[in-house]
Amino acid sequence: MGKGKSKVVCGYPLSIFFIVVNEFCERFSYYGMRAVLVLYFKYFLRWDDDLATSIYHTFVALCYLTPILGAIVADSWLGKFKTIIYLSIVYAVGQVAMAVSAIHDITDSDRDGTPDSMTFHIVLSMVGLFLIALGTGGIKPCVAAFGGDQFGEHQDRQRRTFFSVFYLCINGGSLLSTIITPVLRAQECGIYSKQKCYSLAFGVPAALMVVALVVFIIGSGMYYKAEPQGNIMLDVCKCIGFAIKNRYRHRSKQYPKRQHWMDWAEEKYDKLLIAQIKMVLKVLFLYIPLPMFWTLFDQKGSRWTLQATTMDGNFGALVIQPDQMQTVNPILILTLVPIMDSLIYPLIKKCGLNFTPLKRMTVGMLLAAIAFVCAALVQIQIDVSTKQLLHSSPYILSGQGFIYFKLTIKGKANSDSTTVHNTDKATFTLRSGSQSCEYSTNFGFGSSYTFFIHSTLVFGSNCQDSVTAVEDIKPNSVHMALQIPQYFFITAGEVMFSVTGLEFSYSQAPSNMKAVLQAGWLFTVAIGNFIVLIVAELAKIPKQWAEYVLFASLLVAVCVIFSIMAYFYTYIDPTEIEAQFKKKINEDDEDDKSKPGKAEVEMVKRDSIKCHDEYDKATQTKM
Ligand SMILES: C[C@H](N)C(=O)N[C@@H](CC(=O)O)C(=O)O
């Protein structure tokens, strides 16, 4: 039986159906919008690659910073249910703002197809992104935990299944949206002039966020809504602050040393709380090198998508958009997770190898580094193929009875105004007053042409013979399929690193601090995205392939440090430690009652020693 007023279907509270559907729609909304974001920056707002990459990663970093805020609001003030409702409204408003910001007609007063006031579109989209980051990050730590709350204590198996289904929904939503929104973006729409339809690509995710909110509200009567328990994160910070202050006050040699600096909080705080904070600090220390993994991982949506815009997406019957390549990640997640769990890990175990969570995470980091080496190799290939500038001085001809115009064809995938499908025959109409004639030719992805029109051109006839097309840049010849190896390695890395890391954080966290560690985990994602900003903005490496190699090398270096730290980490069983502590504290209380005359200072010292003994005993087991 679940904890809410919900009906039970096949052993599961019906209420979780609404939570799972809500998650699917919300992840659809988030990943759908994120998939086209970098192209919106580049082609709608006309930012360069570095600025587009930087703002993209600032946004992702914000999305992973706000979970701390969401957890604090939910735990100490509103509770999870109200936090999810209020922040989902903020989130939906943000998505609508994004959709509106992408309507070029709003400021296109001269109706030439380009916005006249870019400031309006930039400001609105930045406000939209801020609200989305606040909403998506704020509800992130609440939704999964709220789902977990719906199960009774005896429903461990069902709760585990719920979390698996929840993860599948995340990736299902992400997969569908990264297929759909790039298709919507590639459509043309507009009132006065037709342009790439970013407003639709943002509008559908906005609609899905409204659906997510409505579905969640429909389930309202069935949920178990736990009251806010008080903010454990605040207690942890206060306890750490007190320990540091107390240690500083007793810095003179006359005071005996304590085994751990956190023990200086013993005068004011519960010994159990101190032991729990020690466990959390041990894991948080191990988190220090982790952001580097996310630095590489999250570039799928920025650098890799921009890389795909310079590649050929023609898969025969199917033309793949550059932003659609991101779907390879959720597709591989949905296939690799079951393969790893049911085949690879059991096989490794059968071979007698102890593939501990921290070893898996180390391998995950190495796989991500390999992915970036693959990306660098692909980039070198692209650079070689696009460097071929065939014609560079049209001025020579312009003085000889020719006029010329330059046209860059970026193919269906990424062009804005001069969209020509790969290998399509494009037709141009040349006009002079009321007279006109037509010229047709074939194009390829990413190619650039200069057209020379002879000044003796006779209108009214076919102007094919009076126009000479000179190919400046050859069409993209490097196929997008070459990105598959880098996607494979980064996703295999994600399965080993991220899925294992989440499970590790959960298993090593004390019962009341699981959310603290989850917030810490998400914080590493935020820092990882800030590192991309620093490198993209400060390093300004001229060659993209060299930047990829730099990131791969940094991750390998960090991976070596992490493996050393992991070697010295001792796995713990927080439940066992907590039980032993509670038992000891009860025994001590009984003891104290029977010996009322003991000096206080002696008591503190003795308790402190016991405290260390218990903690040390419980952390001796190395796996
Ligand atoms: C779609 C990704 N493969 C994924 O599973 N993402 C998770 C974890 C995360 O990156 O935050 C999610 O979106 O919750």
Side-chain angles (χ1 to χ4, degrees):
M1 198 67 50
K3 289 199 287 194
K5 294 160 235 165
S6 171
K7 271 190 201 161
V8 175
V9 181
C10 304
Y12 292 85
L14 185 61
S15 55
I16 58 154
F17 167 80
F18 296 92
I19 297 170
V20 160
V21 175
N22 165 274
E23 182 67 9
F24 177 87
C25 297
E26 188 275 321
R27 289 288 91 183
F28 182 110
S29 177
Y30 174 71
Y31 282 110
M33 183 276 306
R34 212 177 108 163
V36 298
L37 193 57
V38 82
L39 298 188
Y40 167 76
F41 290 156
K42 182 167 175 168
Y43 296 112
F44 191 98
L45 299 183
R46 316 254 163 197
W47 289 348
D48 66 23
D49 284 9
D50 280 345
L51 183 60
T53 302
S54 300
I55 302 297
Y56 174 88
H57 287 285
T58 308
F59 166 69
V60 178
L62 261 186
C63 291
Y64 285 89
L65 272 182
T66 44
I68 298 176
L69 206 71
I72 292 176
V73 169
D75 286 352
S76 52
W77 180 27
L78 292 177
K80 294 185 196 85
F81 176 75
K82 282 189 188 157
T83 306
I84 294 170
I85 299 271
Y86 296 154
L87 287 179
S88 294
I89 295 170
V90 171
Y91 188 167
V93 171
Q95 289 283 34
V96 171
M98 276 308 283
V100 175
S101 81
I103 303 174
H104 64 276
D105 288 309
I106 295 179
T107 63
D108 185 14
S109 35
D110 57 8
R111 301 184 181 186
D112 67 348
T114 50
D116 294 339
S117 162
M118 210 48 110
T119 317
F120 167 83
H121 297 276
I122 292 173
V123 169
L124 192 59
S125 58
M126 292 306 107
V127 170
L129 287 178
F130 179 75
L131 296 179
I132 294 168
L134 201 64
T136 188
I139 63 174
K140 202 170 172 65
C142 301
V143 182
F146 188 66
D149 286 352
Q150 307 306 312
F151 294 89
E153 283 186 4
H154 54 287
Q155 288 183 302
D156 279 355
R157 186 182 57 79
Q158 286 93 333
R159 190 187 284 116
R160 266 202 309 275
T161 313
F162 161 74
F163 280 120
S164 304
V165 173
F166 194 79
Y167 199 75
L168 288 181
C169 282
I170 291 175
N171 282 278
S174 159
L175 172 61
L176 261 188
S177 64
T178 29
I179 292 173
I180 293 171
T181 52
V183 173
L184 300 176
R185 172 193 64 76
Q187 307 307 307
E188 298 204 327
C189 62
I191 306 163
Y192 308 127
S193 65
K194 301 282 178 222
Q195 292 297 326
K196 290 285 150 211
C197 211
Y198 287 96
S199 50
L200 189 62
F202 291 139
V204 169
L208 259 287
M209 194 51 222
V210 174
V211 173
L213 179 60
V214 170
V215 168
F216 189 71
I217 292 173
I218 293 173
S220 175
M222 295 179 217
Y223 301 134
Y224 167 75
K225 297 169 195 157
E227 285 300 312
Q229 295 292 308
N231 189 4
I232 186 74
M233 242 183 281
L234 208 67
D235 293 342
V236 170
C237 293
K238 279 186 190 163
C239 185
I240 292 175
F242 179 79
I244 295 171
K245 242 178 18 206
N246 202 28
R247 172 73 191 91
Y248 185 72
R249 262 196 249 126
H250 297 89
R251 62 188 178 282
S252 142
K253 283 213 171 83
Q254 72 183 88
Y255 298 104
K257 279 196 171 155
R258 299 186 187 179
Q259 277 192 340
H260 193 286
W261 62 270
M262 267 311 297
D263 296 331
W264 287 96
E266 278 170 1
E267 278 86 337
K268 192 171 170 187
Y269 288 89
D270 190 36
K271 287 191 282 286
L272 178 61
L273 178 71
I274 294 169
Q276 288 169 327
I277 294 176
K278 283 182 194 170
M279 296 182 222
V280 167
L281 288 178
K282 249 177 76 159
V283 181
L284 286 181
F285 177 69
L286 213 54
Y287 279 0
I288 293 172
L290 304 192
M292 205 60 217
F293 174 86
W294 302 114
T295 299
L296 276 73
F297 180 78
D298 277 328
Q299 289 189 52
K300 295 188 313 306
S302 56
R303 289 291 198 220
W304 287 14
T305 300
L306 293 170
Q307 182 183 62
T309 62
T310 60
M311 299 174 85
D312 179 5
N314 195 343
F315 283 74
L318 212 66
V319 175
I320 298 288
Q321 306 292 330
D323 30 3
Q324 274 181 326
M325 275 308 284
Q326 294 174 56
T327 52
V328 178
N329 170 255
I331 291 173
L332 285 174
I333 280 280
L334 293 175
T335 39
L336 283 180
V337 169
I339 292 176
M340 291 289 200
D341 282 347
S342 55
L343 203 75
I344 310 286
Y345 294 149
L347 214 69
I348 293 175
K349 204 173 169 190
K350 254 195 180 156
C351 295
L353 292 170
N354 186 11
F355 202 29
T356 60
L358 294 178
K359 283 183 192 160
R360 287 182 204 180
M361 289 169 73
T362 311
V363 174
M365 284 183 171
L366 287 176
L367 290 172
I370 295 173
F372 264 60
V373 173
C374 295
L377 293 176
V378 170
Q379 191 61 46
I380 291 170
Q381 192 86 354
I382 293 168
D383 291 349
V384 168
S385 73
T386 55
K387 228 188 266 163
Q388 300 169 14
L389 192 67
L390 301 177
H391 179 82
S392 56
S393 51
Y395 295 97
I396 299 166
L397 289 166
S398 63
Q400 299 173 359
F402 289 92
I403 53 163
Y404 74 95
F405 67 95
K406 197 176 178 74
L407 175 66
T408 305
I409 304 300
K410 290 174 179 166
K412 184 186 179 187
N414 57 1
S415 101
D416 275 351
S417 52
T418 48
T419 299
V420 184
H421 294 204
N422 191 28
T423 68
D424 267 0
K425 190 170 251 297
T427 302
F428 301 95
T429 306
L430 306 175
R431 279 201 188 88
S432 174
S434 57
Q435 291 188 308
S436 69
C437 72
E438 291 200 331
Y439 171 79
S440 309
T441 190
N442 288 325
F443 297 104
F445 276 103
S447 50
S448 178
Y449 296 86
T450 302
F451 293 95
F452 296 95
I453 304 163
H454 204 280
S455 48
T456 56
L457 169 73
V458 181
F459 284 100
S461 64
N462 186 326
C463 54
Q464 205 73 21
D465 297 336
S466 306
V467 177
T468 311
V470 177
E471 194 176 57
D472 292 341
I473 297 174
K474 282 191 168 179
N476 295 346
S477 55
V478 181
H479 203 272
M480 266 186 217
L482 283 187
Q483 277 198 326
I484 292 175
Q486 66 204 57
Y487 269 100
F488 173 80
F489 283 114
I490 203 92
T491 311
E494 179 189 1
V495 174
M496 293 223 169
F497 181 90
S498 174
V499 178
T500 313
L502 274 170
E503 192 189 308
F504 169 79
S505 307
Y506 194 84
S507 72
Q508 297 298 290
S511 53
N512 55 344
M513 292 186 196
K514 300 215 185 277
V516 176
L517 271 191
Q518 293 297 314
W521 174 263
L522 296 173
F523 188 68
T524 65
V525 184
I527 301 294
N529 279 275
F530 280 127
I531 296 175
V532 190
L533 291 188
I534 295 165
V535 177
E537 281 299 313
L538 297 185
K540 294 256 184 243
I541 298 170
K543 293 278 172 217
Q544 187 54 56
W545 67 264
E547 191 183 289
Y548 288 143
V549 172
L550 172 72
F551 279 122
S553 318
L554 285 175
L555 188 57
V556 171
V558 162
C559 184
V560 172
I561 298 170
F562 179 73
S563 58
I564 296 168
M565 289 164 79
Y567 179 78
F568 290 103
Y569 182 82
T570 314
Y571 291 82
I572 55 163
D573 180 352
T575 328
E576 196 188 308
I577 296 177
E578 284 166 349
Q580 283 176 6
F581 258 90
K582 280 175 192 158
K583 200 170 141 218
K584 204 64 159 171
I585 288 166
N586 286 342
E587 282 170 14
D588 287 353
D589 284 350
E590 291 301 314
D591 242 23
D592 294 344
K593 271 181 212 155
S594 58
K595 297 172 193 162
K598 271 197 148 191
E600 197 191 324
V601 66
E602 255 180 67
M603 214 173 82
V604 169
K605 205 170 146 194
R606 187 209 57 205
D607 285 350
S608 155
I609 292 164
K610 274 187 184 158
C611 209
H612 308 312
D613 288 350
E614 283 316 308
Y615 183 78
D616 291 344
K617 238 188 278 165
T619 54
Q620 284 312 305
T621 34
K622 204 163 178 156
M623 268 163 61

